[in-house]
């Protein structure tokens, strides 16, 4: 009688798991950079051309009922200048993205932009692409 010394062992192929994990990590990293968590949803004005920036941004959102948000933090208009300057710190290289609804008055936009002109800050108005 001949005995077999080798028994069959079940194996799970794990060689492709590292590739799958790498692609999942890459996918979630790309998706997370597309979403800006400091943005309040609103209807922006339309523009035929648009320019994208990769600089450090501070988001200033103004709602239709004239409530001011600096990176999702609600502040009064009277405190806007001091809060904005303290958030900027010593470096005034940062760009402030102004998100204002399309149906708000021009004077509301001018009031905000005067703060930037007075303090020599870089302001950009956010728009939707009209394509």
């Amino acid at each position: 009688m001949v005995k077999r010394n080798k028994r069959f062992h079940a194996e799970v192929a794990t060689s492709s798991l590292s590739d799958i994990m790498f692609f999942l990590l890459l996918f979630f990293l790309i998706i997370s950079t597309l979403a800006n968590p400091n943005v309040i949803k609103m209807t922006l004005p339309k523009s035929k051309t648009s320019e994208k920036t990769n600089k450090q941004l501070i988001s200033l959102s103004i709602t239709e009922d004239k409530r001011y948000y600096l990176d999702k933090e609600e502040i009064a208009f009277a405190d806007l200048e001091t809060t904005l300057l303290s958030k900027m710190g010593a470096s005034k290289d940062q760009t402030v993205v102004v998100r204002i609804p399309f149906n708000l008055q021009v004077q509301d936009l001018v009031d905000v932009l005067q703060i930037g002109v007075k303090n020599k800050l870089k302001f950009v108005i956010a728009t939707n692409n009209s394509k």
Side-chain angles (χ1 to χ4, degrees):
M1 194 159 142
V2 177
K3 275 191 170 183
R4 287 186 165 178
N5 288 335
K6 293 186 179 182
R7 290 188 178 178
F8 177 74
H9 292 288
E11 290 184 16
V12 177
T14 58
S15 59
S16 65
L17 285 181
S18 60
D19 292 340
I20 293 170
M21 292 304 291
F22 173 73
F23 284 120
L24 283 174
L25 177 69
L26 188 64
F27 172 75
F28 286 118
L29 282 175
I30 291 172
I31 293 300
S32 67
T33 58
L34 295 177
N36 189 349
N38 293 326
V39 174
I40 295 174
K41 300 254 184 222
M42 65 177 63
T43 307
L44 298 173
K46 302 252 185 252
S47 156
K48 293 201 188 278
T49 61
S50 64
E51 184 177 327
K52 295 186 179 180
T53 180
N54 291 329
K55 295 180 182 178
Q56 182 71 14
L57 303 174
I58 295 176
S59 177
L60 171 61
S61 302
I62 306 163
T63 60
E64 291 182 12
D65 54 347
K66 295 184 185 177
R67 294 168 65 189
Y68 297 85
Y69 293 88
L70 204 55
D71 288 339
K72 278 195 168 179
E73 178 187 334
E74 185 174 2
I75 56 172
F77 181 75
D79 301 330
L80 181 62
E81 184 174 1
T82 56
T83 309
L84 189 59
L85 289 174
S86 68
K87 206 169 230 318
M88 283 280 203
S91 70
K92 294 188 177 180
D93 292 348
Q94 293 178 318
T95 302
V96 179
V97 178
V98 179
R99 300 177 194 286
I100 187 166
F102 72 98
N103 55 354
L104 226 56
Q105 293 182 3
V106 175
Q107 186 61 49
D108 298 320
L109 177 62
V110 170
D111 292 341
V112 171
L113 294 180
Q114 282 180 340
I115 294 172
V117 171
K118 177 181 171 186
N119 296 296
K120 296 180 180 155
L121 304 175
K122 296 176 190 171
F123 276 46
V124 175
I125 301 171
T127 59
N128 280 337
N129 205 351
S130 65
K131 289 181 181 176

